[in-house]
Amino acid sequence: MEEVILEVMEEVMVEVMEEALVEMQFMLLFSRQGKLRLQKWYVPISDTQKKKIAREVIQMVLARKPKMCSFLEWRDLKIVYKRYASLYFCCAVEDQENELITLEIIHRYVELLDKYFGSVCELDIIFNFEKAYYILDEFILGGEAQETSKKNVLKAIEQADMLQEEAETPRSVLEEIGLT
Amino acid sequence: MPAVSKGDGMRGLAVFISDIRNCKSKEAEIKRINKELANIRSKFKGDKALDGYSKKKYVCKLLFIFLLGHDIDFGHMEAVNLLSSNKYTEKQIGYLFISVLVNSNSELIRLINNAIKNDLSSRNPTFMCLALHCIANVGSREMAEAFAGEIPRILVAGDTMDSVKQSAALCLLRLYKTSPDLVLMGEWTSRVVHLLNDQHMGVVTAAISLITCLSQKNPDEFKTCVSLAVSRLSRIVSSASTDLQDYTYYFVPAPWLSCKLLRLLQCYPPPEDGAVKGRLVECLETILNKAQEPPKSKKVQHSNAKNAILFEAISLIIHYDSEPNLLVRACNQLGQFLQHRETNLRYLALESMCTLASSEFSHEAVKTHIETVINALKTERDVSVRQRAADLLYAMCDRSNAKQIVAEMLSYLETADYSIREEMVLKVAILAEKYAVDYSWYVDTILNLIRIAGDYVSEEVWYRVIQIVINRDDVQGYAAKTVFEALQAPACHENMVKVGGYILGEFGNLIAGDPRSSPLVQFNLLHSKFHLCSVPTRALLLSAYIKFINLFPETKSTIQEVLRSDSQIRNSDVELQQRAVEYLKLSSIASTDVLATVLEEMPPFPERESSILAKLKKKKGPGAVSVNELEEGKREGGELNGGGERGGDNSAIAASNASTPSPSADLLGLRTGLPVSAAPPTAGSLLVDVFSEAGVNDDGFLRDLEPPTESSDSLLAEGPGDSDSTPPPPPSVVSEEPAPPLPESDELLNKFVCKNNGVLFENQLLQIGIKSEYRQNLGRMYLFYGNKTSVQFVTFTTTVTCPGELQSHLNVQAKPVEPLIEGGAQVQQVINIESLTDFFEAPLLNIKFRYGGALQNLTLKLPVTINKFFQPTEMASHDFFQRWKQLSQPQQEAQKIFKANHGMDTEVLKAKLLGLGMALLENVDPNPENFVCAGVIQSKAQQVGSLLRLEPNAQAQSGEQMYRLTVRSSKDTVSKRLCELLAEQF
């Protein structure tokens, strides 16, 4: 039942989409083996479409050789990507969008992850995927840069972590061990 | 910085993730997941109320499973429960789940909106930000309805924290993009614009995205942002690299904000205020200067950020297109990048130069880099960079360098990547045509194209070369010689055979004097390719053969032999068999004269837009030159289309034909009477109709040689019969009042909205056929009146009138028509139409004649509708939406929702929309089911741009197939009329 409703919803949203030209349409993080590690969509797209797009983009980017340029035309969009260690960071932006500044968006996000996790690696993102999403939300909202200062973004995340700790200290030691 | 493995760690989650990672196979993974899903389900359903922590953990697991690519159909309610938790992490996970697994269950939405509302009014900035992030991530209409009023208040309130302001600005932007009608800026406008002055750079960075979007849609209301943006930019550009503290990125001050400011300025023309403009030019100069300074850091991030600003500044300079000095400096800067060691910079420089090439100020400067670009095309290792180089060569091409560029592109084509060959072929074909000074070069180029990349040469390309050869008598001999030589190759591409067959069939006589290319040699050469060709090519060759029989009577017996062979006359393909049978018969029974008449050389093609250009426009990538520019170029080179001599200069043709030893020379006299388009049929030249028919018949693409006799059963072709030689009387000798329009005349009219040819009317006596063609604001219509009886129609008269106001909107002139139509015969009438301004009604056509003494009097509506004057306009998605938004006044839009009268076959719909005359834009509407079109209605007084969107809904609630049609035009009456006309079509 619910699925049907979902489908209807998607249609409605795609219809609404007509007016929406979003700077960044989606961001994907995936491994060299093509495993998707993080996906953020800034335009409403159905789940099946998302899967299809991700597959297509991942395949395309993985086929690129080093030294090739970091920009690709894909459908009406531009794909801007960069590889960091075992992970590819990849953004789809509007055709008019500035490619170089998008590359640096990627870099700033990597810096944020790195600073937060302390030399970030792929595993950090796998095991703390929700954190990776929170950091991204502080940095980019609705496909547009919200706060480009590294300090300010991390301050916001830090504050949230503080709230978290206050709330949870009493239970974590006892129950975590017993639970699994 | 807090290390990560602290209190928040949900061990259960970590263990689950490890388990999944340890799964050796996909099956094992699925098994593990199903086990977990079952476990979670039972926990959620269980009697024991779950505490917040467990709920959070399970919801997070579900989220993880979903992100792995599995479907999740439960857990929404638990996630919503988490929203109202006081514990931050629980709330946070709840929001994340909701943002990722958007759900439209209305009860859930109500609960979600409630939770958001509570958080927004909590005055706790962290909670407020979470709620705003959720709205921005989901961005649904329901959320817009609930919060679009509240968020602007949060955004401009004096006591709102900076971080909340930032989220509010982008949240509002998202809602504005999804539901612009719900976000009313009105009273907030000026305060939002002034956020550009905010002390907090982060607030400015977020707010400027919102302001840019609003400015695009309401430029006037937001125009005060220009001077604010300039002064902000100026402050950043002139600041020392450390002034902006954490907003300095690798020694570059505020690169993101700078780019966004430069982008905002691109929504507006250059500032009118001299001081502001001066300041801006200064900024742009500073940015260009900085590009020359030695880098402050070796890191690529430094140069990327610096160059990002530089490219954005260059975009603005190109956008203004008014500062020659800056344009040339930009071009020189890009020139340096062309040889940079960074592939990214080379790519971007090529791309950016493409737009510079179209500015009159910098075109020459761009051209100086031709060698570097050619080199890039040859040596770049990355196909996307090569593609850019090819685009740039195309953009910088003009008369002075066309030969060099075309030669380079041709040689590149031999090794080009398959993915870009077709586009390259189109580009070469267009450049060759556009800049041809001598046509032999053009013919050589196209034949080379077929030789090198025959598979990628589309029909449009080879149709075009034939159109041009037919229209240019000075190149026909050369073309014949060249195709003859090209066909000598043992293996030649089928497209070459097609062109060769066609050209030799028409102009083989021009080279037949040389014994090396005598008629029989020509025929044997063509026929040696026959067996290797596909059916359509064979059909074309058969037509060429019958043309040979006419051109060279000495080949008649050989060719008849071939036609008579079982493999032709009993061919299993109906088309081939029919051609063989008919041509054989024709060649054996028709007299030389009739044969010569039927198989006369093709008349020149009417001038029209190159179909190749249309095709390229369809394919148009971002690197392509703007359509306008191409069209301008085409006008410049228009003589190639042979337009100047349409139907004229027959003496020249005659002379050139006479100078050749053509056996058909005795027929030349007929050619002088050949009116290709205009002139009413001259009495006495009984063959004229056949030929003007042939001229009209062609629908833009060359079909084939179709001897008109073949179609003599068709209504629209008048065979060489006996036609009356009395001069037509003036059409106004009428005593009776014209009858009122037939009741079905509107319906008949509607049949022709999306097509130009067909049968307009038919009863037991009379059949009226129509052919029409339109260009710009002019149209020409051919009416064919067929007498279906065996008795004469006498005093046959027709009158075309424009009732009422229409007279001042449309100028319609009908040529006189024969007053007598023999039984079974057909007469033709030409009507010229000029659209003066947009119009509603259709002209009336009254027909009167006597049949066996009884007066027949009937009135029809002439199918001249406003859409006939459409000029299709291709545009990219972005442009389309921009224009769509510009036409947002309520009266500019007309909309209709209606039931489908016919099936919803996509191809049929497409064909209809194309017939409408607008450009059907692919990949514009995010919903592939929908259709969008763009076009400009031409009239003498004005041009009216129109955009159309058709949304089929195959399963509307009523269970019926429905359409929603929306038309926006710069003129309200046009939208309305188009909408009315179209609603009857689907």
Side-chain angles (χ1 to χ4, degrees), chain B residues 174-422:
Chain B
R174 176 68 194 264
L175 294 185
Y176 185 71
K177 283 173 174 172
T178 42
S179 315
D181 53 319
L182 295 178
V183 178
L184 304 169
M185 294 312 295
E187 49 182 320
W188 312 112
T189 304
S190 127
R191 294 171 74 179
V192 169
V193 171
H194 276 87
L195 289 172
L196 286 176
N197 269 340
D198 202 285
Q199 287 186 325
H200 191 283
M201 294 280 273
V203 171
V204 188
T205 307
I208 193 170
S209 296
L210 174 66
I211 295 168
T212 305
C213 179
L214 292 168
S215 300
Q216 276 163 355
K217 297 200 182 171
N218 322 287
D220 280 347
E221 288 164 50
F222 282 82
K223 64 172 178 251
T224 49
C225 71
V226 172
S227 61
L228 292 178
V230 170
S231 64
R232 190 95 212 190
L233 180 69
S234 158
R235 268 180 284 159
I236 297 173
V237 168
S238 56
S239 65
S241 54
T242 49
D243 285 359
L244 302 176
Q245 294 159 353
D246 208 37
Y247 290 92
T248 295
Y249 179 82
Y250 292 86
F251 303 102
V252 181
W256 285 281
L257 182 53
S258 305
C259 284
K260 285 184 174 196
L261 285 163
L262 289 162
R263 175 57 59 89
L264 170 61
L265 291 170
Q266 287 171 56
C267 302
Y268 290 93
E272 281 159 21
D273 182 329
V276 177
K277 183 162 184 201
R279 208 165 171 199
L280 177 56
V281 169
E282 221 168 86
C283 286
L284 295 171
E285 278 169 348
T286 312
I287 294 171
L288 285 167
N289 291 341
K290 279 193 178 172
Q292 296 297 331
E293 286 171 13
K296 295 196 175 69
S297 154
K298 284 210 170 78
K299 295 245 187 215
V300 68
Q301 283 76 26
H302 171 70
S303 76
N304 278 352
K306 199 165 106 174
N307 291 328
I309 300 173
L310 176 64
F311 276 105
E312 207 59 66
I314 291 176
S315 295
L316 182 63
I317 293 170
I318 296 172
H319 168 77
Y320 286 162
D321 199 13
S322 60
E323 300 284 328
N325 178 32
L326 289 176
L327 280 162
V328 170
R329 280 194 69 186
C331 185
N332 293 339
Q333 182 60 54
L334 294 176
Q336 291 181 17
F337 286 157
L338 285 182
Q339 313 206 43
H340 202 278
R341 61 188 168 77
E342 279 268 330
T343 316
N344 287 345
L345 283 180
R346 295 199 302 276
Y347 174 96
L348 293 174
L350 288 166
E351 186 183 59
S352 194
M353 259 198 190
C354 252
T355 27
L356 272 179
S358 56
S359 162
E360 53 170 320
F361 301 116
S362 48
H363 183 78
E364 288 303 316
V366 171
K367 274 168 62 186
T368 59
H369 299 287
I370 185 167
E371 297 302 333
T372 319
V373 182
I374 287 174
N375 199 40
L377 187 65
K378 287 178 176 162
T379 59
E380 281 290 350
R381 272 187 278 170
D382 184 345
V383 54
S384 20
V385 186
R386 290 197 296 273
Q387 167 88 64
R388 290 285 82 82
D391 285 346
L392 178 53
L393 282 180
Y394 180 74
M396 66 160 72
C397 191
D398 62 18
R399 256 180 225 294
S400 71
N401 56 19
K403 284 204 173 172
Q404 184 187 9
I405 286 179
V406 166
E408 291 296 345
M409 286 173 100
L410 269 177
S411 80
Y412 173 59
L413 203 49
E414 306 215 26
T415 54
D417 312 77
Y418 295 109
S419 56
I420 64 175
R421 280 195 186 181
E422 191 186 350

Side-chain angles (χ1 to χ4, degrees), chain A residues 2 5 15-16 18 64 67 69-70 73 76 96 98 104 111 144 146-147 149 151 164 168 176, chain B residues 8 53 56 73 89 104 166-167 178 246-247 249-250 263 304 308 344 382 388 923 949 964:
Chain A
E2 244 171 341
I5 296 169
E15 200 169 306
V16 175
E18 65 173 39
R64 307 273 298 166
K67 290 275 171 194
C69 79
S70 317
E73 279 177 40
D76 278 350
Q96 306 290 317
N98 189 315
E104 294 319 302
E111 284 184 348
E144 313 267 347
Q146 170 175 223
E147 176 55 87
S149 150
K151 265 187 207 150
Q164 187 158 292
E168 291 195 357
E176 287 300 335
Chain B
D8 65 315
Y53 172 80
K56 171 182 100 174
D73 55 4
T89 49
S104 64
Q166 286 165 274
S167 299
T178 42
D246 208 37
Y247 290 92
Y249 179 82
Y250 292 86
R263 175 57 59 89
N304 278 352
N344 287 345
D382 184 345
R388 290 285 82 82
N923 301 326
R949 185 161 185 249
R964 180 164 74 181

Side-chain angles (χ1 to χ4, degrees), chain B residues 48 295 319 431 440 602 739 741 801:
Chain B
K48 222 172 62 183
H319 168 77
L431 292 179
S440 49
M602 289 293 281
T801 52

Side-chain angles (χ1 to χ4, degrees), chain B residues 447 450 462 465-466 469-470 476 479-488 492-509 511 519 521-530 533 536-549 551-552 559 579 583 602 702-705:
Chain B
L447 294 185
I450 296 175
W462 75 262
V465 68
I466 286 177
V469 169
I470 298 236
Q476 289 160 356
K481 178 169 164 286
T482 318
V483 290
F484 179 78
E485 280 161 8
L487 288 172
Q488 303 289 334
C492 54
H493 195 272
E494 192 165 335
N495 281 334
M496 187 70 89
V497 179
K498 288 178 181 160
V499 175
Y502 204 114
I503 289 185
L504 292 181
E506 293 292 318
F507 308 113
N509 56 326
I511 56 167
V521 175
Q522 286 185 39
F523 170 74
N524 286 332
L525 180 60
L526 278 180
H527 198 53
S528 70
K529 316 283 181 197
F530 188 91
C533 292
T537 309
R538 289 183 187 197
L540 185 150
L541 285 177
L542 288 179
S543 296
Y545 296 170
I546 186 75
K547 287 239 162 184
F548 265 50
I549 293 185
L551 286 180
F552 317 114
I559 291 174
R579 284 191 190 215
Y583 292 164
M602 289 293 281
L702 208 70
R703 282 288 164 239
D704 235 340
L705 325 167

Side-chain angles (χ1 to χ4, degrees), chain B residues 404-466:
Chain B
Q404 184 187 9
I405 286 179
V406 166
E408 291 296 345
M409 286 173 100
L410 269 177
S411 80
Y412 173 59
L413 203 49
E414 306 215 26
T415 54
D417 312 77
Y418 295 109
S419 56
I420 64 175
R421 280 195 186 181
E422 191 186 350
E423 198 182 323
M424 290 284 294
V425 166
L426 290 174
K427 286 184 168 167
V428 170
I430 289 170
L431 292 179
E433 178 182 339
K434 189 163 144 190
Y435 298 117
V437 184
D438 61 287
Y439 300 99
S440 49
W441 174 72
Y442 169 75
V443 170
D444 284 342
T445 304
I446 302 297
L447 294 185
N448 265 331
L449 213 48
I450 296 175
R451 197 174 48 74
I452 295 168
D455 282 345
Y456 298 89
V457 172
S458 56
E459 287 185 332
E460 287 87 347
V461 173
W462 75 262
Y463 286 171
R464 189 70 183 158
V465 68
I466 286 177

Side-chain angles (χ1 to χ4, degrees), chain B residues 542-565 569 578-599 707 709-710:
Chain B
L542 288 179
S543 296
Y545 296 170
I546 186 75
K547 287 239 162 184
F548 265 50
I549 293 185
N550 172 46
L551 286 180
F552 317 114
E554 65 266 40
T555 60
K556 183 168 170 177
S557 58
T558 316
I559 291 174
Q560 282 182 333
E561 199 57 40
V562 168
L563 293 176
R564 202 176 288 124
S565 71
I569 210 158
Q578 185 175 356
R579 284 191 190 215
V581 170
E582 288 182 6
Y583 292 164
L584 184 60
K585 201 75 183 160
L586 181 68
S587 68
S588 33
I589 60 168
S591 70
T592 328
D593 275 4
V594 170
L595 204 58
T597 307
V598 169
L599 300 170
T709 41
E710 261 195 317

Side-chain angles (χ1 to χ4, degrees), chain A residues 2-3 5-6 9 11 13-23 35-37 39-44 47 50-51 64 67-73 76 78 82 84 94-101 103-105 107-108 111 115-117 123 126-131 133-134 137-139 141-142 144-152 154 156 158-161 163-165 167-168 171-172 175-177 179-180, chain B residues 1-2 4 6-12 14 17-18 21 51 53 56-57 60 63-64 66-67 69 71 73 76 87-89 92-93 96 102-105 126 133 136-138 140 142 166-167 170 173-174 177-178 180 200 202 205-206 209 217 246-247 249-250 255-256 259-260 263 300-301 304-305 307-308 311-312 343-345 347-348 351 381-382 384-385 388 622 877-878 881 884-885 923 926-927 949 951 964:
Chain A
E2 244 171 341
E3 264 177 33
I5 296 169
L6 267 174
M9 178 70 171
E11 265 171 36
M13 297 200 37
V14 169
E15 200 169 306
V16 175
M17 250 294 291
E18 65 173 39
E19 307 271 325
L21 288 168
V22 179
E23 207 166 275
K35 286 231 174 206
L36 198 52
R37 296 303 183 201
Q39 44 176 319
K40 185 80 186 179
W41 303 85
Y42 295 109
V43 284
D47 288 338
K50 284 180 188 170
K51 282 184 192 167
R64 307 273 298 166
K67 290 275 171 194
M68 282 190 165
C69 79
S70 317
F71 320 125
L72 277 178
E73 279 177 40
D76 278 350
K78 266 186 216 151
K82 188 161 179 178
Y84 289 85
E94 248 186 87
D95 172 47
Q96 306 290 317
E97 189 47 36
N98 189 315
E99 294 94 339
L100 288 176
I101 209 73
L103 260 186
E104 294 319 302
I105 286 262
H107 187 75
R108 173 109 297 178
E111 284 184 348
K115 193 89 182 174
Y116 181 79
F117 288 108
L123 281 181
I126 296 173
F127 281 93
N128 304 282
F129 67 96
E130 79 282 10
K131 291 285 180 207
Y133 279 99
Y134 298 152
D137 269 356
E138 289 293 338
F139 177 37
L141 194 58
E144 313 267 347
Q146 170 175 223
E147 176 55 87
T148 58
S149 150
K150 197 155 63 174
K151 265 187 207 150
N152 289 351
L154 291 170
E158 219 173 306
Q159 273 171 356
D161 278 339
L163 284 172
Q164 187 158 292
E165 256 172 80
E168 291 195 357
R171 69 174 318 137
S172 57
E175 294 206 20
E176 287 300 335
I177 298 165
L179 258 170
T180 44
Chain B
M1 189 55 36
V4 187
K6 292 168 312 187
D8 65 315
M10 288 171 275
R11 256 189 79 80
I17 295 176
S18 292
R21 285 176 54 76
D51 59 19
Y53 172 80
K56 171 182 100 174
K57 186 179 72 182
C60 203
L63 189 56
F64 180 80
F66 178 77
L67 290 169
D71 293 333
D73 55 4
H76 296 84
K87 290 185 183 149
Y88 181 74
T89 49
Q92 207 179 17
I93 292 283
L96 182 59
V102 182
N103 191 298
S104 64
N105 178 314
T126 323
H133 290 179
N137 280 325
V138 177
S140 65
E142 290 86 350
Q166 286 165 274
S167 299
L170 292 177
L173 172 59
R174 176 68 194 264
K177 283 173 174 172
T178 42
H200 191 283
T205 307
S209 296
K217 297 200 182 171
D246 208 37
Y247 290 92
Y249 179 82
Y250 292 86
W256 285 281
C259 284
K260 285 184 174 196
R263 175 57 59 89
V300 68
Q301 283 76 26
N304 278 352
N307 291 328
F311 276 105
E312 207 59 66
T343 316
N344 287 345
L345 283 180
Y347 174 96
L348 293 174
E351 186 183 59
R381 272 187 278 170
D382 184 345
S384 20
V385 186
R388 290 285 82 82
S877 169
H878 175 256
F881 288 121
W884 184 264
K885 281 165 218 153
N923 301 326
N927 181 351
R949 185 161 185 249
E951 300 158 275
R964 180 164 74 181

